[in-house]
Amino acid sequence: MLSVPPSSFILTPYVAKIVCEPGWKWQKREQPLQNFDLFYVWSGEGELLLNDEPHKIGKGSCFLFRPGDHTSATHNPQKPLVLTYIHFNVEAEAYEIPQAYRVLRETVDFEYLLSRYVRVFLNETYGMEEEARLLLKQMMIHLLRGDREKPSVRRGSNHLYEVVHEAANYVRQHPSLAHRVEDLSARAGLSPRYFSAKFKELLGTSVQSYIIKMRIERAQHLLGHAGMNVTEVAEALGYRDIFFFSRQFKQYTGKSPSEIR
């Protein structure tokens, strides 16, 4: 869809960000989808069938369903899905279409585009349709760019790669915890020194920098999308000193927390 102009996107009223009820399920319909559906999971756990192919879904799972697709889904009632869906059509012929499924690792920018689209669309603000089409185009570019990036080369054994990345994912999933290198290295079954060296080699950053980065990314999300003020976000992420939080936030983002809020 890189060659498709924004004016070719046909908007539909089927768009929302929802928290799925514990008994929620998406039943397979006899008729396939009639349009494109951008489907993104903010949190929760579940399973989705796309044309009878199962996908475990959770934070960062992103689908672009196409006309003719058959879909169904269920979720864990104890960890209900929070998701955004955007239905749309394209009147021009699209030569480049994002892949049907991916898991986004860096989610802040894409989640901002999703939130902005839903807010603009539902509030029916001035210039709503034009801005919504531009946002939709940006999201398609974001997905296409991710589809075409070369995967990083794995250095070291598969086991080493997995245990280091599992520790990194743990930090990402729990940014408010006071992570220590000793605890993370024990989780990986490695010595702190060796773990730190391999972490930097595989992820391109030190353990401490990664911990701060994940905390600041979560702070950006909470400030921009959760309705929390700066003090509440600082406390939620384990900062005892709001001034230290503000300095660290600006160091990593170039903006103060109040500018995001």
Side-chain angles (χ1 to χ4, degrees), residues 62-103:
C62 183
F63 294 84
L64 181 63
F65 305 129
R66 296 157 169 73
D69 282 346
H70 286 275
T71 57
S72 62
T74 57
H75 72 156
N76 180 352
Q78 304 302 318
K79 296 181 179 179
L81 293 176
V82 178
L83 58 90
T84 289
Y85 60 84
I86 298 173
H87 288 255
F88 65 95
N89 287 307
V90 182
E91 61 180 2
E93 186 172 359
Y95 295 100
E96 291 184 274
I97 301 176
Q99 295 176 9
Y101 172 66
R102 85 276 298 139
V103 178

Side-chain angles (χ1 to χ4, degrees), residues 3 6 10 15 25 30 33 38 42 51 65-66 72 74 97 103 114-115 125 142 150-151 212 236 249:
S3 60
I10 303 172
V15 52
K25 60 182 176 180
E30 293 184 8
L33 290 173
L38 181 59
W42 295 77
N51 299 325
F65 305 129
R66 296 157 169 73
S72 62
T74 57
I97 301 176
V103 178
L114 284 170
S115 297
T125 55
H142 187 102
K150 293 181 179 180
I212 296 172
F249 188 95

